[in-house]
Amino acid sequence: MDFESKVISREISMMLWEMEQTVSTAESCTGGRIAEAIISVPGASKYFKGGIISYVDEIKESLLGVSAQLLEEKTAVCEEVAIEMVKGACKALNTNYAIAATGLAGPTGGTKDVPVGTIWLACGNPERQMTLKVEEDHGRDINLAIATNKAMQMFLEFLKEESKVSDQG
């Protein structure tokens, strides 16, 4: 894991620790890399409950509650599925927050409409989510590293917004 990812992980760790909140992951194409980034910080068991690697649609449906109709109509690589994965992970793992990733890391599997390198990231809680679409193909390993790093950056941004809201309330 690169230095920037470790810094982001540590900052997320401190925020979750202070907020006394928990996080889980729901990962498809990233295969556990986001969870790995979270647990790289000692003491992660205080706020990280676990992750679901839902590499196939069957698991997205059965464990995360993603709609079969949504998967059929839009495929697993869309913003709506990433959002459903966040909500499903929060419910299945009983956490305040979740981070999700679904996409095509490559080298094959892409289409004209959804090319290789398309990865949807989402984070949040059942009420509010933030999403990001990664669209460049740099080869499988780099695609996965970029997606993991961007997911962690996005979640840190989300937590900072959450802490501002709670400070005002």
Side-chain angles (χ1 to χ4, degrees), residues 30-48:
T30 50
R33 285 170 178 82
I34 297 169
E36 180 185 23
I38 293 169
I39 64 143
S40 70
V41 178
S45 60
K46 176 151 174 41
Y47 52 84
F48 181 71

Side-chain angles (χ1 to χ4, degrees), residues 9-81:
S9 295
R10 188 161 302 284
E11 202 169 341
I12 287 170
S13 164
M14 291 186 303
M15 290 193 73
L16 288 171
W17 192 281
E18 286 171 17
M19 295 164 71
E20 296 182 350
Q21 301 287 289
T22 57
V23 67
S24 57
T25 58
E27 301 183 65
S28 186
C29 61
T30 50
R33 285 170 178 82
I34 297 169
E36 180 185 23
I38 293 169
I39 64 143
S40 70
V41 178
S45 60
K46 176 151 174 41
Y47 52 84
F48 181 71
K49 286 192 173 184
I52 295 172
I53 299 172
S54 55
Y55 213 64
V56 296
D57 289 354
E58 171 193 351
I59 302 303
K60 288 177 184 73
E61 288 178 48
S62 64
L63 294 183
L64 295 171
V66 175
S67 153
Q69 183 179 351
L70 176 61
L71 289 164
E72 192 175 313
E73 288 175 7
K74 293 213 164 187
T75 78
V77 186
C78 69
E79 182 178 33
E80 294 86 347
V81 167

